[in-house]
Amino acid sequence: MSTDNDLLKISSECIYVENSDGILILNISFEKYYQLNHTGREIIFFFETANSVMDTINKLSCEYDIEKKLMEKDILCFIEDAKQKGILEIAQWKH
């Protein structure tokens, strides 16, 4: 389970391309494609720019004018699903 301060990134086992529907991600290890809509793409790119889980929740709840608790629940479900599919992983800190 992800914590509020985790930094996440697209898995090193994935390649992706943006398209008119959002983002298409290929997990090379699983040999599976995943199509994410525009909101999914936005969430992924928030993580790619070194935003923590809580930062992403705060930004998206303001942007979409959704109660923070509801956004938190949705984002955490998205993260767990993406981690199970090998799309997201915890970013390693560089010293």
Side-chain angles (χ1 to χ4, degrees):
M1 181 122 217
S2 292
T3 65
D4 292 347
N5 293 318
D6 278 348
L7 295 178
L8 301 170
K9 67 173 188 163
I10 294 176
S11 170
S12 57
E13 299 294 322
C14 291
I15 56 174
Y16 65 89
V17 63
E18 291 183 71
N19 59 31
S20 61
D21 296 324
I23 186 172
L24 182 64
I25 300 174
L26 168 63
N27 182 304
I28 299 166
S29 294
F30 298 158
E31 298 180 345
K32 288 196 174 196
Y33 285 97
Y34 300 99
Q35 175 69 48
L36 302 181
N37 64 19
H38 294 285
T39 305
R41 180 185 68 197
E42 189 172 7
I43 294 167
I44 293 286
F45 287 150
F46 270 129
F47 293 136
E48 283 293 292
T49 56
N51 288 291
S52 70
V53 171
M54 190 50 68
D55 287 343
T56 300
I57 290 167
N58 289 332
K59 287 177 185 179
L60 290 174
S61 66
C62 287
E63 183 174 325
Y64 289 101
D65 195 27
I66 296 174
E67 184 182 329
K68 188 175 166 185
K69 282 288 183 194
L70 179 59
M71 181 61 72
E72 181 175 11
K73 178 183 170 216
D74 290 348
I75 294 290
L76 291 177
C77 286
F78 175 89
I79 290 168
E80 291 311 309
D81 185 52
K83 284 170 59 179
Q84 287 178 354
K85 291 176 178 169
I87 296 171
L88 287 176
E89 63 187 16
I90 295 177
Q92 298 297 314
W93 287 93
K94 293 184 180 179
H95 301 283

